[in-house]
């Protein structure tokens, strides 16, 4: 497979085997030599002992014949040793040292030359002397000369046997080692495969991908050529894993991997570098346009649904591109730039691609800082909830409020929710943040009722990520229970795009909310899908016309605003106009029969205690009028 990193065959086992073989041979040689030397000494000593015994026997038996100088009898005694095959000669010298009698065998050679003691061990004969005595008187000396040929033959035979045994043993050892080496080779290959391959997709894993990238960067730097690193992140893989299970998730990843391999060029490398993150090393590329074309082919291919376990699954992806050497010359920088580009692709709406640009780094740094500060602010309780009043359009009487998050940053002043809410969504803080706002809003509304007797509706914004977390409905139930607020006083604001993203779970959530008695509003109406048909099927209570339409009033935008109002009324929905900034806008809305208004003209978002004060003031005014 093109995307796999095939390891070079390791020489470790070969080196190991050769070393062992040499050691085994050396051991055999040393042991063989020691055994041969021992055998030689034993055989030679046995021969010497035999000859010494023979010499003693001759010396005993020959003493009488020597004493009486019976030559024939002496020769008879000597010849008695004829059957001894190693015997060369037996010689008897008289007391004066003169030759008295000698028996020579057929093999007898001239008497050996006297040699140095060290070499006597190796000489081809041995000589033994024995005195001939009779009653304490020395009569002469008998000399035995024997051949060591038998010792040599014995040693040769022994060496032959030893050689054959050693060869056999080495053969067995070599066979055993060969099998051990085959097993070791296999284990090494398996280890290498595991270390470099992602088991789910069979693609290069993170380590192997970056190793390949490093090598490719070196090669392309020398050849003065460009390469592109593409990081690919699936947009909704967590959802697939959560709903269809990990098995289906793995099968989807395998298909995505295979698709990537099929759309890149033959020599490009595809690797899986994280849960739902892939990398493509496109090398070489002529220019950005070529890299972009590959990235487009990837996003295009991943837009088509994947067939997993009998169902069609969507696995759209975001792609970040970084070029070598244009964007970075070092590996970590190249990867980090591709990551920054990927991040930009994600935050600008997913299912798209982004090329790295230097200014992205600043934006990302600011975002990272923002995330860190937001965590701190939440821990320290620095966040606050402000409330923007909503009024009846006809009587201009305050009937509700919208809860809006406020973050007074200790250094940078107020940070707009439109800036930090997406960060909270991205880093997963939104769940905690959303639950906190909900609880604050419910408890403030409950306390206004307790202290002023006015039951204000309170609207809370809910973002897409909060719905996806699944336990938001429990948070709503707990907030109502813990604060004692009537469910009918709470309203949740959802955006159109949020509802269209995952229609089934949104529908389920809306029905669960309505079942509790909580009201639902569609926020920023008209800016999303503008599909009016769903107004019929969604269990909602209220529409909020987006500020962008209200701003056009009263000179323009009247057709759209008018149509929305009458359409909503047709479906029995309450209509809120948000962002009302001047009297002319309010006048037009009053004439058009809009139900509620919200905007800077009548009130800006203010603190909970200011709402409380406002209600108390109104109450006092009303009491004064009635009394
Ligand atoms: P939104 O839900 O559309 O909130 C209305 C925004 O319009 C608020 O901005 C409000 O201050 C502003 N506004 C109200 N009247 C006027 C007006 O007459 N003229 C102009 N120009 N603006 C007006 P804000 O507070 O900056 O909030 C921005 C967005 O942040 C909100 O838009 C909402 O989508 C989001 N947001 C705020 N608080 C929360 C929260 O607790 N949770 C979630 N998920 N989102 C929130
Ligand atoms: Ca809102
Ligand atoms: Ca809005």
């Amino acid at each position: 497979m093109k995307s796999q990193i095939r390891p070079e065959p390791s020489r470790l086992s070969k080196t190991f085997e050769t070393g062992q073989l040499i050691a085994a041979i050396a051991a055999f040689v040393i042991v063989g030599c020691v055994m041969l030397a021992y055998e030689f000494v034993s055989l030679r000593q046995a021969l010497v002992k035999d000859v010494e015994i023979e010499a003693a026997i001759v010396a005993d038996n020959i003493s009488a014949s020597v004493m009486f100088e019976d030559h024939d009898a002496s020769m008879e005694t000597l010849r008695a040793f004829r059957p001894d095959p190693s015997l060369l000669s037996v010689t008897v010298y008289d007391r004066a040292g003169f030759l008295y009698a000698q028996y020579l065998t057929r093999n007898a050679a001239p008497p050996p030359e006297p040699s140095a003691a060290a070499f006597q061990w190796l000489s081809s004969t041995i000589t033994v002397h024995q005195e001939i005595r009779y009653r304490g008187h020395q009569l002469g000396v008998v000399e035995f000369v024997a051949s060591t040929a038998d010792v040599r033959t014995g040693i040769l035979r022994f060496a032959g046997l030893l050689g054959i045994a050693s060869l056999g043993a080495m053969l067995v050892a070599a066979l055993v080692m060969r099998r051990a080496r085959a097993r070791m080779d296999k284990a090494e290959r398996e280890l290498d495969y595991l270390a470099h391959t992602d088991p789910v997709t069979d693609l290069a894993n993170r380590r192997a991908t970056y190793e390949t990238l490093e090598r490719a960067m070196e090669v392309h730097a020398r050849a003065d050529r460009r390469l592109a690193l593409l990081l690919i992140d699936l947009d909704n893989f967590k959802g697939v894993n959560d709903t269809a299970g990990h098995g289906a998730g793995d099968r989807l990843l395998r298909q995505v991997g295979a698709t990537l391999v099929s759309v890149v060029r033959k020599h490009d490398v595809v690797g899986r570098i994280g849960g739902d993150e892939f990398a493509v090393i496109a090398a070489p590329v002529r220019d950005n346009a070529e890299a972009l074309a590959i990235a487009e082919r990837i996003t295009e291919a991943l837009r088509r649904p994947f067939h997993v376990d009998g169902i069609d699954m969507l696995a759209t992806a975001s792609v970040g591109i970084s070029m070598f050497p244009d964007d970075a010359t070092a590996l970590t920088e190249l990867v980090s730039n591709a990551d920054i580009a990927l991040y930009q692709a994600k935050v600008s709406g997913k299912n798209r691609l982004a090329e790295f640009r230097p200014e992205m780094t600043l934006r990302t740094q600011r975002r990272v800082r923002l995330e860190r500060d937001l965590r701190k602010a939440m821990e320290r309780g620095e966040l606050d909830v402000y409330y923007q009043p909503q009024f009846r359009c006809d009587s201009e009487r305050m009937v509700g409020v919208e809860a809006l998050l406020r973050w007074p940053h200790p250094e940078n002043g107020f940070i707009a929710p439109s800036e930090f809410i997406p960060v909270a969504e991205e880093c997963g803080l939104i769940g905690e943040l959303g639950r906190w706002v909900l609880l604050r809003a419910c408890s403030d509304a409950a306390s206004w009722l307790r202290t002023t007797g006015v039951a204000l509706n309170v609207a809370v914004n809910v973002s897409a990520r909060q719905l996806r977390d699944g336990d938001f409905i429990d948070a709503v139930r707990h907030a109502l229970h813990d604060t004692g607020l009537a469910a009918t006083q709470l309203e949740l604001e959802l955006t159109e795009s949020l509802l269209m993203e995952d229609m089934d779970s949104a529908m389920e959530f809306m029905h669960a909310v309505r079942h509790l008695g909580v009201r639902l509003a569609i926020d920023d109406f008209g800016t999303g899908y503008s599909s009016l048909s769903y107004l019929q099927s969604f269990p909602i209570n209220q529409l909020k016309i987006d500020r962008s339409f209200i701003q056009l009033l009263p000179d323009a935008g009247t057709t759209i605003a008018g149509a929305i109002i009458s359409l909503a009324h047709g479906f029995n929905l309450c209509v809120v106009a948000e962002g009302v900034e001047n009297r002319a806008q309010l006048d037009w809305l009053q004439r058009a029969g809009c139900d509620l208004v919200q905007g800077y003209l009548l009130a800006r978002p203010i603190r909970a205690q200011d709402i409380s004060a406002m209600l108390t003031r109104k109450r006092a005014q009303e009491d004064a009028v009635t009394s």
Side-chain angles (χ1 to χ4, degrees), residues 288 292 319-323 327 333-348 352-369:
N288 292 37
L292 217 56
V319 182
I321 308 165
S322 172
M323 298 285 293
D327 295 332
E333 207 187 338
L334 189 71
V335 174
S336 136
N337 288 354
D339 218 31
I340 288 171
L342 173 65
Y343 186 72
Q344 284 302 321
K346 283 230 169 253
V347 296
S348 53
R352 61 189 69 201
L353 47 93
E355 289 175 279
F356 173 77
R357 283 190 310 278
E359 62 268 24
M360 283 178 178
T361 319
L362 277 177
R363 226 180 300 163
T364 312
Q365 276 167 357
R366 178 167 162 76
R367 223 172 153 109
V368 168
R369 221 177 301 129

Side-chain angles (χ1 to χ4, degrees), residues 455-469:
L456 278 187
N457 285 343
V458 64
V460 175
N461 293 285
V462 180
S463 73
R465 260 303 283 275
Q466 280 171 275
L467 275 202
R468 232 179 282 146
D469 285 346

Side-chain angles (χ1 to χ4, degrees), residues 232-311:
I232 300 138
D233 192 288
L234 301 188
D235 290 330
N236 188 27
F237 183 68
K238 192 181 173 299
V240 172
N241 249 354
D242 289 349
T243 51
H246 288 265
D250 283 356
R251 285 185 281 284
L252 177 66
L253 286 175
R254 221 190 326 272
Q255 287 194 32
V256 168
T259 304
L260 290 177
V261 171
S262 72
V263 294
V264 300
R265 302 164 309 173
K266 211 166 71 240
H267 44 271
D268 294 338
V269 171
V270 182
R272 180 179 171 219
I273 55 169
D276 58 351
E277 238 184 276
F278 293 83
V280 169
I281 303 166
V285 287
R286 273 187 315 278
D287 47 21
N288 292 37
E290 193 176 3
L292 217 56
I294 297 172
E296 261 157 18
R297 279 210 303 277
I298 289 172
T299 46
E300 191 54 47
L302 294 183
R303 250 170 232 147
R304 287 193 283 274
F306 289 93
H307 205 64
V308 178
D309 296 350
I311 31 175

